[in-house]
Amino acid sequence: MGEVAPLRFDELSADCAPGEVQAMRVAAGADKGLGMPAPLWRTSRNSGTVLLLCLAALFLLEGPTGRIVVCCVAAALLGLWVWLVAWWSRQARRLALGRARLARFAAANGFTYDPRRLPFPPDLDPELLYRGVGSDATIRDRLTGIRGRAFDTYALNFTTTAGLRPTGRNRVTHVRGVLHFELPAELPGLWLDSETRPVLGGYWNALDRYPKTLELEGDFQSQFRLRHAADANPAELLYVLQPDLMAVLHDFGRGIQLQIAGRSVYLIGRFALPSGGRRITENLFALFDALAPKLEKLALQRRTTSDEAPR
């Protein structure tokens, strides 16, 4: 595969007209509760409910002391409610601005961008670490294109439940950035993890799918854990993780999980392109540009070696 043209990142820091930002908010779609995350929306809603109860209590209480206390509580709750709404409005506008810039970035580089929340397509993740973990899995902010090879990156949203009772209070929503691309030939399956706070269910799924561990050398061992399938050949895994490839991961891959499943490669991490801005996007594509050609070369070498082996 030949050299690819440099990406144009200037659009990720460009100014956008208010109409362009508003159009992106409409294109992304509105969630319930002013678009707030569920915990923040519950806090705002509960504050408003208590505020109304305090106002109703003013008509029932007698004496100045009780009314002063109720007025102080009501003022504090009103201030909290106004602050929450104002803060989230700024956050929502910032996210819409990031999406408008990402749409410009996609257009400038010949990519396709879709900000909508979409159902989780099962064909995207035959061996994705978080498949089957939690519920309500959706994807959002999907960016697709060809950069030497086809790639697909999106935000994966899913929900897990702490404890035995699946109540709203115990539900936790997780967001993971995913970048996926395909290789021309299969490589040994492995899971290379540098995330310090993995989702527990996903971690146990990985232990079940990749039960074996392989010791690595030097500083790489202190930052990454390598697990592989029981039938994988350790020599082939070390063939994949050559020193130059480990150097790339060391430089760009902190907080990233690398998963290879046959021809499918997944980079999973705590990155979100619209809100992360230019720096996050530059780092992600720097990792992709450095990692993908090396894995592609190894896959082709492995296929050639397998074809030349005596039958």
Side-chain angles (χ1 to χ4, degrees), residues 30 37 48 55-56 58 101 110 125 160 228 249 253 287 294 308:
L55 294 177
L58 289 176
R101 288 171 171 171
D125 64 326
T160 58
H228 59 88
L249 290 168
L287 177 59
K294 295 182 184 299
E308 293 177 351

Side-chain angles (χ1 to χ4, degrees), residues 49-63 66-71 73-74:
T49 302
V50 176
L51 175 61
L52 292 177
L53 292 176
C54 289
L55 294 177
L58 289 176
F59 296 96
L60 302 177
L61 290 175
E62 296 182 357
R67 292 189 174 186
I68 290 174
V69 171
V70 171
C71 286
V73 173

Side-chain angles (χ1 to χ4, degrees), residues 35-112:
M36 291 182 176
L40 187 61
W41 170 242
R42 285 197 297 268
T43 301
S44 175
R45 180 190 60 195
N46 294 341
S47 299
T49 302
V50 176
L51 175 61
L52 292 177
L53 292 176
C54 289
L55 294 177
L58 289 176
F59 296 96
L60 302 177
L61 290 175
E62 296 182 357
T65 302
R67 292 189 174 186
I68 290 174
V69 171
V70 171
C71 286
C72 290
V73 173
L77 290 172
L78 178 62
L80 174 63
W81 187 82
V82 170
W83 181 85
L84 283 173
V85 173
W87 178 83
W88 181 249
S89 296
R90 290 194 299 270
Q91 294 297 108
R93 187 190 180 284
R94 179 171 173 263
L95 181 58
L97 176 61
R99 285 177 170 145
R101 288 171 171 171
L102 193 58
R104 283 188 171 192
F105 167 78
N109 293 282
F111 302 153
T112 301

Side-chain angles (χ1 to χ4, degrees), residues 144-181:
T144 59
I146 297 177
R147 182 160 175 78
R149 61 211 47 83
F151 72 88
D152 185 9
T153 180
Y154 49 88
L156 168 63
N157 300 264
F158 61 97
T159 302
T160 58
T161 302
L164 300 178
R165 300 180 61 186
T167 62
R169 186 173 300 177
N170 295 332
R171 292 166 63 86
V172 180
T173 299
H174 307 271
V175 181
R176 293 292 184 275
V178 178
L179 189 146
H180 161 247
F181 60 93

Side-chain angles (χ1 to χ4, degrees), residues 2 11 43 76 86 92-93 124 170 189 200 203 219 222 281 291 293:
E11 298 293 350
T43 301
R93 187 190 180 284
L124 284 180
N170 295 332
L200 185 60
Y203 180 68
D219 295 338
S222 62
T281 308
L291 185 63

Side-chain angles (χ1 to χ4, degrees), residues 189-266:
L190 61 83
W191 172 50
L192 192 67
D193 180 25
S194 67
E195 190 173 15
T196 56
R197 293 181 298 166
V199 177
L200 185 60
Y203 180 68
W204 288 115
N205 275 9
L207 294 184
D208 181 61
R209 187 176 297 148
Y210 305 106
K212 301 291 185 178
T213 59
L214 184 64
E215 294 295 323
L216 302 172
E217 297 180 356
D219 295 338
F220 202 76
Q221 174 66 37
S222 62
Q223 296 181 12
F224 290 87
R225 294 171 295 179
L226 175 63
R227 305 191 66 88
H228 59 88
D231 57 351
N233 185 346
E236 286 190 315
L237 297 175
L238 294 176
Y239 176 76
V240 171
L241 292 176
Q242 293 184 0
D244 57 346
L245 181 57
M246 289 194 289
V248 171
L249 290 168
H250 182 273
D251 291 340
F252 298 107
R254 295 184 181 182
I256 292 287
Q257 296 173 3
L258 168 65
Q259 190 170 148
I260 300 177
R263 295 177 56 184
S264 300
V265 179
Y266 295 95

